[in-house]
Amino acid sequence: MPRDARDALRAWFLGPRAENADLMERLITESFRDHVFWRRNFRPEDGVTIQEVDRRQEGYEAANATLTQELMSLLAQLKRDVPFFSGRYQGHMVCEPTIAAQVGYFAAMLYNPNNVTREAGPVTTRLEFEVMEQLARMIGFDPATTWGHLTSGGTVANFEALWIARSLFYLPVAAAMAARAGAPEVSVQRPDGATVPLASMGLYELLNLRGPAALDAWDALRQAVPRTAWPDVIDRHTLAHAGYQEYTRRLARHWGDPLPDSVVLVAATAHYSWEKIVRALGIGAEQLCFVPVDRYCRIDPDALWERIEQLHARRTPILACISVCGSTEEGAVDRLDRVLEVRARAEEQLGVTFHLHADACYGGYAAAVARRPDGSHRTSAEIRASTQINWPSDDWVKSIVSLGWFDSVTIDPHKLGYAPYPAGAMLLRDRRARDLVAVEPPYLAPPGGGAHDTSFMGQFILEGSKPGAAAAAVWLGQKVLPLDERGYGYLIERTVVGAHRLYDAIMTADLSPFRAVMLPRPDLNIACFVVTHPSLSGITTLNRLNEEVFRQMSLGENGQVPDYMITRTRLTHPNYDGAVPALLPGLGLSGTEEWKACREGLVVLRSTVMDPFLAGDVGGTDHVVGYVAALRRACATAMNNVISA
Ligand SMILES: Cc1ncc(COP(=O)(O)O)c(C=O)c1O
């Protein structure tokens, strides 16, 4: 364990008892005072707008009194919020942000910059680019060819990734239509390496080109046409321009086929935002095709291969495949290396390809665990020497270092980046693809830069106005906690150690007559389990017991705070066919039929360990011990409630 990081960890957070209050107060006061000096020194010749005499008027006093009074009311209400800072909260993936990120946010918020364009946030847009460069390096993207920016969260980041993937997917079709309408002929490289003229290709072939090859062809087309002619000669053939209905008519005219169904493959553990996204993009929820997961809740690469073969047999193109690095419910990290292998095999053997996206909204920052300060990779043995537990495996490291080969990756600073909301991030491996969704309003181009100035972020992104303060928060966070083993790597390591400690404690606890049946050991920091009792039979009763335990260990409707807080999820058929059957014998449930027939699935209790102090080696209450005692009590009360219901 790096000694410096161990000590630094104690300075990174305000602390469960606000132990670092003096530090944070000093930094916030400093930020505020500095801002005041800035205002006072900015054009002093402008004079004083709010005069001292104004501040003594009745109306002023009344306004002041209202503000103070209402603030007190707000502060009182906030006491009913969730104590995410406490080791007693082990529920959702919500964290206490670092002091750095909170102070960074506060300091920049006073300036209220808008990162939609450099013109409205000259400092914080620069910080945003720096932050994205650091994240790109951490996951193995080359910052020189990457594009990335902050979003309001993972949902929007994922939306953009698929929006861009869809634009890229239809790009060869657009180029071929342009060529058929008289634009210069361009050639493209197929997945098998052959270079062929676009206009000679069938629709299915056009929808099976690698993103970079499609972009090369697009670039060649644009170079062959004067810029002023792009809208008429090229752009009008894009889906973005024509819309789905008109596009399908045009495709039928050109290829005799309407727009073929195209599917989005997702790991069955995918976050529910994916369904929103395919609905919003007009792709349709029916085209979201879930790939089963294995016993560890990771996408099953063999099932993925089978799905691709089946789709190919029906000549259904694949718009994108989404793999998960840190699933929402279990923190499972897909074997990203094996997913890449499956795509390579599909290209080689079937001529099928697709955009590969890693939803690393939750787990992305864990890439810092595998980085040394010089940027090289740590080995799994090296990391295990630091964690002193049997984590991570060689395969985990192989997976996390494979992020750099994905076409797009989303990572949320407001999750394992310990930044305040809102802060998600989207990264594209080949930055040229961002142009496919670009829109250029005349009023937002910065002076001197022209509409194509890349610091005018608003043109490439879904959102418009966006908080520069969020960029400052992430920037200061990443300055204080580097994206390697000294900073985020160490912090995340500690949370994983804490989750494993909790996992072991629940697994070995004497809860008799109850028993905890554990899901597999977590890939990250989420411990999942189901409690059972010998007298209970049937999945519905078992679910009732676990729902009751969850209720006992949740904030009450009137704000009552239990001793410990956890959360729960439901594992349903068919998405969890690979994972649930292994749990059933331990739960006394024979066969899978009952579970499959149960619409609510299997209720599973979960604890996300965002708290780095749960790993032990700190003063104060040992919350692992407290958690287990609270679980024992909750089981007993829950059982009484189930029986008496
Ligand atoms: C894996 C994953 N992707 C996407 C999201 C969506 O993120 P957000 O809630 O920031 O929109 C989440 C949220 O929990 C997630 O866990």
Side-chain angles (χ1 to χ4, degrees):
M1 176 191 304
R3 174 83 204 160
D4 289 352
R6 184 192 164 280
D7 295 342
L9 175 65
R10 282 139 177 83
W12 286 339
F13 295 95
L14 176 56
R17 318 278 314 171
E19 292 88 339
N20 289 319
D22 56 343
L23 171 64
M24 188 156 166
E25 189 176 328
R26 179 168 66 72
L27 298 175
I28 287 188
T29 309
E30 188 70 43
S31 309
F32 182 69
R33 287 206 184 129
D34 196 63
H35 179 78
V36 169
F37 295 148
W38 183 62
R39 288 191 183 207
R40 294 215 172 127
N41 290 314
F42 180 75
R43 297 293 181 144
E45 70 271 22
D46 287 351
V48 176
T49 305
I50 304 163
Q51 304 277 335
E52 199 51 34
V53 65
D54 297 330
R55 290 157 43 89
R56 290 164 200 230
Q57 301 305 313
E58 222 173 276
Y60 179 96
E61 294 284 354
N64 207 339
T66 307
L67 170 61
T68 308
Q69 190 66 43
E70 294 305 327
L71 173 66
M72 292 307 142
S73 156
L74 173 66
L75 295 179
Q77 292 178 61
L78 285 172
K79 301 288 176 313
R80 293 209 153 183
D81 221 80
V82 189
F84 298 121
F85 57 83
S86 168
R88 292 176 182 271
Y89 183 83
Q90 304 296 344
H92 289 289
M93 46 178 67
V94 189
C95 62
E96 159 167 56
T98 59
I99 293 181
Q102 292 184 88
V103 171
Y105 196 99
F106 178 83
M109 184 192 67
L110 297 171
Y111 296 76
N112 198 26
N114 182 346
N115 276 17
V116 65
T117 167
R118 181 160 53 96
E119 198 186 343
V123 177
T124 46
T125 41
R126 181 171 50 72
L127 299 185
E128 184 164 338
F129 285 123
E130 271 186 46
V131 155
M132 296 314 298
E133 250 187 69
Q134 292 161 356
L135 287 174
R137 275 204 189 87
M138 175 185 71
I139 61 167
F141 277 5
D142 176 1
T145 51
T146 297
W147 158 249
H149 69 96
L150 295 175
T151 62
S152 62
T155 303
V156 171
N158 281 337
F159 181 98
E160 270 194 22
L162 196 61
W163 184 31
I164 290 173
R166 186 183 68 174
S167 308
L168 201 47
F169 180 66
Y170 290 112
L171 200 60
V173 174
M177 280 204 276
R180 285 171 181 222
E185 182 68 78
V186 287
S187 292
V188 69
Q189 194 180 39
R190 284 195 318 221
D192 65 6
T195 300
V196 288
L198 265 171
S200 69
M201 295 172 82
L203 193 51
Y204 186 65
E205 266 188 304
L206 286 168
L207 295 172
N208 273 294
L209 292 172
R210 291 290 300 271
L215 287 164
D216 288 345
W218 193 249
D219 279 353
L221 184 57
R222 289 202 158 199
Q223 270 165 26
V225 174
R227 198 171 198 294
T228 48
W230 286 0
D232 282 343
V233 179
I234 307 178
D235 297 348
R236 73 187 175 86
H237 299 287
T238 60
L239 172 66
H241 194 269
Y244 266 130
Q245 278 156 333
E246 171 58 15
Y247 219 55
T248 199
R249 279 195 285 271
R250 287 190 198 168
L251 259 69
R253 270 204 307 276
H254 281 283
W255 284 277
D257 246 346
L259 193 66
D261 290 344
S262 49
V263 302
V264 176
L265 298 173
V266 284
T269 49
H271 186 254
Y272 75 99
S273 59
W274 288 104
E275 186 165 337
K276 284 192 212 171
I277 294 165
V278 290
R279 285 169 184 240
L281 282 172
I283 294 168
E286 260 184 36
Q287 314 307 330
L288 191 65
C289 178
F290 292 95
V291 181
V293 290
D294 65 14
R295 172 155 169 38
Y296 301 96
C297 301
R298 306 173 192 141
I299 195 168
D300 178 346
D302 297 330
L304 175 62
W305 170 253
E306 263 172 43
R307 212 34 72 88
I308 293 168
E309 276 191 314
Q310 287 159 2
L311 291 165
H312 178 57
R314 300 204 303 263
R315 297 185 73 75
T316 301
I318 301 165
L319 197 159
C321 171
I322 288 121
S323 210
V324 184
C325 175
S327 64
T328 314
E329 276 125 314
E330 311 82 8
V333 175
D334 283 351
R335 287 294 308 275
L336 303 177
D337 51 326
R338 297 214 40 212
V339 171
L340 285 162
E341 278 165 23
V342 170
R343 181 175 69 175
R345 183 174 165 206
E347 288 174 351
E348 205 181 297
Q349 295 181 12
L350 310 174
V352 166
T353 192
F354 41 83
H355 182 98
L356 259 186
H357 173 75
D359 180 348
C361 283
Y362 186 58
Y365 271 83
V369 171
R371 287 268 178 209
R372 299 193 188 106
D374 66 2
S376 59
H377 283 128
R378 296 167 87 195
T379 63
S380 53
E382 226 173 305
I383 307 169
R384 283 196 297 273
S386 159
T387 59
Q388 309 255 301
I389 59 171
N390 195 18
W391 180 91
S393 64
D394 296 354
D395 288 345
W396 186 94
V397 174
K398 266 192 221 150
S399 298
I400 208 95
V401 304
S402 297
L403 277 172
W405 297 104
F406 275 63
D407 298 311
S408 52
V409 176
T410 41
I411 305 180
D412 286 351
H414 69 203
K415 294 192 174 77
L416 284 179
Y418 289 82
Y421 298 104
M426 200 280 303
L427 289 127
L428 268 184
R429 192 147 176 270
D430 187 334
R431 71 156 58 120
R432 292 175 297 168
R434 75 180 166 199
D435 292 337
L436 307 180
V437 295
V439 174
E440 299 168 359
Y443 78 102
L444 279 176
H452 299 286
D453 186 323
T454 52
S455 64
F456 162 28
M457 228 177 296
Q459 67 185 315
F460 302 114
I461 66 175
L462 179 70
E463 290 164 285
S465 296
K466 62 210 269 315
V474 181
W475 185 87
L476 197 57
Q478 292 181 181
K479 280 281 170 200
V480 175
L481 283 77
L483 292 168
D484 58 51
E485 61 179 314
R486 297 164 300 170
Y488 279 102
Y490 180 70
L491 172 59
I492 292 165
E493 239 177 81
R494 295 316 290 162
T495 67
V496 177
V497 172
H500 281 245
R501 215 184 136 225
L502 183 66
Y503 182 98
D504 287 335
I506 300 168
M507 186 171 64
T508 55
D510 177 9
L511 300 173
S512 58
F514 300 92
R515 219 162 29 81
V517 174
M518 309 302 291
L519 266 72
R521 218 162 248 290
D523 284 339
L524 284 171
N525 49 11
I526 305 181
C528 295
F529 59 99
V530 184
V531 290
T532 181
H533 184 279
S535 74
L536 291 183
S537 63
I539 193 158
T540 317
T541 336
L542 189 68
N543 282 348
R544 284 228 308 276
L545 173 70
N546 283 277
E547 277 289 344
E548 254 319 303
V549 173
F550 162 62
R551 210 165 66 84
Q552 297 300 320
M553 297 182 78
S554 308
L555 279 192
E557 274 161 24
N558 296 320
Q560 308 95 314
V561 184
D563 286 343
Y564 284 83
M565 284 147 277
I566 63 171
T567 181
R568 60 96 170 81
T569 187
R570 298 189 179 96
L571 307 187
T572 50
H573 161 69
N575 284 1
Y576 282 90
D577 281 5
V580 169
L583 301 173
L584 299 179
L587 294 169
L589 298 167
S590 56
T592 54
E593 292 319 307
E594 192 189 350
W595 166 64
K596 285 184 178 169
C598 182
R599 280 180 61 98
E600 65 180 351
L602 177 70
V603 174
V604 167
L605 301 172
R606 305 167 49 227
S607 278
T608 310
V609 179
M610 302 288 287
D611 170 9
F613 301 119
L614 205 73
D617 182 33
V618 282
T621 301
D622 186 337
H623 286 301
V624 169
V625 175
Y627 179 116
V628 171
L631 177 63
R632 194 178 296 120
R633 290 192 297 277
C635 284
T637 316
M639 187 70 184
N640 285 339
N641 292 350
V642 168
I643 293 166
S644 59

